[in-house]
Amino acid sequence: MSAFLQYLISGVATGCGFALLASGLVAIHRVTRVVNFAQGMFAVVGGMAAGSLLGAGLPHGAAEAAAVVVAGAVGLAVGAAATGRRGTSPQSALIVTLGVGFLAYAVEIMIWGDNPRSHAGLGGSATVFGAHVQRQSFLVIGVAAAVFALLALFFGRTYTGKALSACASNPYAARTLGIDPLKMGLVAFALGGMLGGLAGVLLTPLQPISYNSDVLLITNGFAAAVLGGLNRPVVALAGALTLGVAEAMVAGYGEASYQTVVALALMLAIMMVRASRRTALQEEAAR
Amino acid sequence: MSVSVRKNRPAAGAAAPASRRRPGPGALAAAAVAAAALLAPAVLPATQVSVYVLLLLSATVVVGLSMLMGYAGQVSLGQASFTMIGGYTAALTATHGLPTWLGLLLAPAAAAACAALVGVPLLRLRGHQLAFATLAIQLILLSLVGRQEWTGGDIGLQGVPRLRIAGYEFASEVSYAYLALAALGLVVLVTRHIVTSRPGRGLRALATSEVAAASSGVPVAVYKQAVFSLSAGFAGLAGGVYAFYIGYVAPGSFPVLLSFEYVVMVVVGGAGTIWGALAGATAITLLLQLLNDIGTREGMPASAPAVLSYAVYGLLLIAVVLFLPKGLVPSAAAWWDRRTASKPTEG
C-alpha cells in the first residue's frame, strides 16, 4: 500500500509537470493554430538556467523565477520566428519550431555542455502513511495547482486573458473589435514559454535533464494536450495526470525502461480513438 | 543512376501540368548528373567514398520521404524507424547464416510490411498528429530494440558478413558506392513512374483535399497506405545496404535525429520533386561534412562539430521555410523560367 501511494504521489508530481507543458502547448495552439515543437525546449532552458543561476549564488526562489522569465523570453523569440512573417501557415510554423529546436540545441551545448544536469530542489523526503515521498514532489503539485488557479483567473478576469480567448474562438471577430491576433499570438508564445520553463524548473530536481531531453518532454506534453484536441486546458490537465501516474506505476511495478513505451502507446491510442470519431470532412472544415 | 533523358519539369508545389518539352537544359543536366554520379566513386579519394555512400543512402530515403510529404502531403517524423527495420532485417538474416542477398531483398520488404501494418491505424491521423505519431513509433521502436536479447540490446548486432550476390563479394568501398547508386537509381525510377501516372495524380489530389479526392473516385485510404509503405520500403532498402556496408547495426545508428535530418533534407531541397530530394540530400550531407572538418580542427572545443551542425540545421530549416517555402530546387527552377521568359523567345 505504501509503495502504491509513493508511486501515486510521484506520478501525480510528474503529471503536473507534463500538465504545465501541455497547457503551454494548448495556449499557443488555441490562439495561433501552431503546434509548437519547441515546447520541450522551453523546459530544458528553464531547468538549465535555474541550475546556472543557483550556481551563481542567487537564492532559491529568485533563481527559479528568473529562469522562468528567461524561458518566457525564449518563447517570445520562438513566436516571432514562427508567426512573425505574414502568411506562414501553421504547418510551416511547425517546421519552423522544429528548426528553432535545433538552433536551441547548439546554444544549449555551448552554454551548458552535453551532459545531463540537475539542481537541488527541496531536499529530503517526507513520510505520508508509511510512504517515503520526495518533498520536491509536493512542491511541484502545490505550485502547479496554484499556477492553474492563476491561469483560470487570468483567462476569465483580465482584459488580456479575455482577448486571448477571443482570438482563440474567432480571430476574425476579434480583429473587428480591435484585437491584434498577431500580438496576441506572441503573448501566447511568451506564456507558453513561461509555463514550459516552469515545468523544467520543477521537474529537473526529480529527474536530471540534458539538451536532448526535449523530444521526450514534448511527446509527453503533446500526448496530454491531444486528449483535449489541443484546445481544452482542463482535459489536457487530466490527460497529463493520467500519463504521469501511468508512467510511475509502470516504472514502479514493471520495468523503468518501459515507461516511455507505455506513455507513447497511450498517446497513440488516444489519438486514434479521437481520429476515428472525426471524419475527414469535419477536419477539413476546421482548417 | 539511369535518370531518363526526358525531363518532365517537376511541378513545384501547385499541380501545374507537366509540360512535355524537347530535350533542353533539363535533360542535359540530368545526363551530366548521372555521368558525374557514375564517375564519382572512381575519381574520389578513398576517404571521401564513404561520405559518398552515406550521401547516396540518405538520398534513397529522402526521395521516398519527399514523395510522401510533398506529393501525398503526409508528414513523417519517424522515417528513420524504417531505415532501422531494414538494417536490422538485413543484419539478422545475414548473421543467422542465410544468404546475404536474401537479407538485402528482405530489408525493403520487411520495412514496407511493417509500414503497411502500422499504417492501418496510423494513417487515420492527419497533419501534426501524424507527425507526432510517427515520431512516437520511432521512440517506441528504439526503446524496444534496445531491450531485446535477439537484437543485441543497446550494443546491437556485430559482425554482419559482406554482401555476396551471385558469387561476387562486395568488399571494397567503391563496390558499395555502386551498390548504393543502383539502389538510388531504382528508387528514382520507381518514384518517377509513380508521380507521372494516374495514381500520382490521385496522391496529389488527396494531399489537397481528401474529401474532394474521395468524391472524385480516388481510393484515398488505399493510396495513402501504398505510398506510406513504398516510402518505408525505400528507407528499408537504404538501411539494408547500410548494414552490409558498415558491418554492424545498433539503436544508436538510427536516432530520432536521423529522422529529423531526412525531413530537413526534404524541406531544404523542395518537397515533392525528385531533383529536390537529391539536391537536399547532397547539400545537407556535404554541409555537415564541411562543418565536421571545421569543427575537428586544432584548437576547436570538443563540442564544436555538434554545435556547428545543429546551428546550421536550425538556421537552414527556418530560413528555407520562411523565405523559400517551396525549397531550393523548385525556387531555382521558377527563377530560371522567369529569366528565360523575360527574354524574347526564338522562332
Side-chain angles (χ1 to χ4, degrees):
Chain A
M1 184 64 214
S2 66
F4 174 80
L5 199 64
Q6 189 175 320
Y7 301 146
L8 183 71
I9 296 178
S10 66
V12 169
T14 318
C16 282
F18 293 159
L20 288 168
L21 266 179
S23 60
L25 263 179
V26 170
I28 292 172
H29 180 265
R30 278 182 58 179
V31 178
T32 62
R33 301 277 177 274
V34 174
V35 180
N36 176 26
F37 205 88
Q39 191 67 26
M41 178 268 280
F42 298 155
V44 172
V45 167
M48 298 251 190
S52 292
L53 292 168
L54 284 170
L58 273 179
H60 270 291
E64 279 88 346
V68 170
V69 172
V70 169
V74 172
L76 193 61
V78 173
T83 59
R85 193 176 156 82
R86 289 207 183 277
T88 312
S89 71
Q91 274 76 23
S92 305
L94 171 71
I95 305 278
V96 171
T97 55
L98 187 70
V100 172
F102 277 125
L103 206 54
Y105 275 6
V107 177
E108 284 158 12
I109 296 175
M110 256 176 10
I111 303 179
W112 292 297
D114 49 8
N115 290 324
R117 294 167 65 98
S118 183
H119 63 262
L122 266 184
S125 62
T127 312
V128 193
F129 300 116
H132 290 284
V133 185
Q134 285 177 299
R135 279 168 50 195
Q136 176 75 16
S137 300
F138 292 114
L139 180 72
V140 176
I141 297 169
V143 170
V147 166
F148 278 107
L150 282 174
L151 276 180
L153 283 175
F154 170 72
F155 279 110
R157 301 276 170 193
T158 65
Y159 181 78
T160 316
K162 283 180 179 170
L164 280 173
S165 302
C167 282
S169 62
N170 190 336
Y172 180 75
R175 205 175 304 140
T176 57
L177 296 172
I179 301 169
D180 180 4
L182 191 67
K183 212 163 84 182
M184 286 300 139
L186 291 179
V187 171
F189 263 99
L191 185 67
M194 286 168 81
L195 288 167
L198 187 62
V201 168
L202 291 170
L203 286 180
T204 309
L206 293 173
Q207 37 190 328
I209 51 167
S210 54
Y211 73 95
N212 57 3
S213 308
D214 68 333
V215 173
L216 271 181
L217 285 168
I218 177 73
T219 31
N220 276 312
F222 182 83
V226 87
L227 191 64
L230 289 171
N231 288 325
R232 299 181 12 230
V234 179
V235 186
L237 172 63
L241 293 180
T242 315
L243 209 62
V245 171
E247 285 190 29
M249 293 295 165
V250 172
Y253 288 112
E255 285 267 7
S257 54
Y258 281 144
Q259 69 179 38
T260 51
V261 176
V262 169
L264 295 166
L266 201 65
M267 157 178 145
L268 287 174
I270 291 166
M271 284 207 280
M272 283 159 198
V273 169
R274 281 188 56 90
S276 62
R277 292 213 308 253
R278 283 172 69 95
T279 62
L281 199 57
Q282 286 171 320
E283 295 243 350
E284 285 177 18
R287 268 190 214 165
Chain B
M1 181 165 66
S2 49
V3 177
S4 83
V5 190
R6 189 195 64 234
K7 185 158 179 289
N8 296 348
R9 178 168 303 285
S19 52
R20 290 280 165 97
R21 298 175 173 218
R22 56 192 168 74
L28 290 176
V33 167
L38 281 168
L39 280 176
V43 296
L44 280 175
T47 49
Q48 301 289 327
V49 177
S50 65
V51 178
Y52 185 60
V53 174
L54 295 179
L55 188 162
L56 292 171
L57 293 179
S58 294
T60 309
V61 182
V62 171
V63 167
L65 186 61
S66 184
M67 179 173 62
L68 183 72
M69 280 174 63
Y71 239 83
Q74 314 294 321
V75 181
S76 163
L77 288 180
Q79 201 66 0
S81 47
F82 301 116
T83 321
M84 183 175 180
I85 290 170
Y88 267 89
T89 307
L92 279 170
T93 35
T95 48
H96 284 74
L98 290 165
T100 48
W101 56 264
L102 185 68
L104 189 62
L105 275 183
L106 283 178
C114 287
L117 271 179
V118 171
V120 174
L122 213 62
L123 288 169
R124 283 172 161 181
L125 305 173
R126 295 176 188 86
H128 57 252
Q129 299 211 351
L130 182 65
F132 272 93
T134 46
L135 178 63
I137 294 282
Q138 179 166 10
L139 288 168
I140 290 173
L141 193 69
L142 280 170
S143 184
L144 290 180
V145 166
R147 311 227 359 108
Q148 304 304 319
E149 288 283 331
W150 54 274
T151 56
D154 278 331
I155 299 154
L157 295 164
Q158 311 277 351
V160 180
R162 290 295 193 188
L163 178 65
R164 292 181 72 89
I165 296 179
Y168 175 76
E169 182 173 296
F170 286 82
S172 66
E173 298 258 341
V174 173
S175 66
Y176 278 97
Y178 283 113
L179 180 70
L181 201 52
L184 178 60
L186 177 74
V187 163
V188 166
L189 220 66
V190 171
T191 308
R192 257 193 75 87
H193 279 289
I194 285 175
V195 298
T196 53
S197 68
R198 185 182 163 82
R201 290 197 296 278
L203 288 175
R204 180 128 275 178
L206 73 87
T208 320
S209 162
E210 285 184 21
V211 179
S215 57
S216 314
V218 176
V220 169
V222 177
Y223 273 12
K224 278 200 326 191
Q225 279 277 7
V227 73
F228 189 62
S229 303
L230 193 68
S231 73
F234 293 170
L237 179 63
V241 175
Y242 175 87
F244 288 119
Y245 173 61
I246 300 285
Y248 72 90
V249 286
S253 323
F254 309 99
V256 174
L257 198 63
L258 186 62
S259 291
F260 292 168
E261 193 176 303
Y262 293 146
V263 174
V264 174
M265 288 173 177
V266 169
V267 171
V268 168
T273 73
I274 295 171
W275 282 112
L278 299 180
T282 308
I284 299 288
T285 309
L286 293 181
L287 197 62
L288 284 182
Q289 200 54 37
L290 179 73
L291 291 171
N292 220 348
D293 286 349
I294 295 172
T296 48
R297 284 205 190 131
E298 289 287 310
M300 280 283 188
S303 61
V307 169
L308 279 174
S309 54
Y310 284 137
V312 165
Y313 268 159
L315 289 172
L316 254 182
L317 204 54
I318 296 167
V320 167
V321 171
L322 289 182
F323 303 105
L324 284 178
K326 285 177 180 158
L328 287 177
V329 168
S331 303
W335 172 81
W336 179 256
D337 277 357
R338 275 201 306 276
R339 245 199 60 174
T340 46
S342 62
K343 288 178 189 168
T345 44
E346 74 281 358

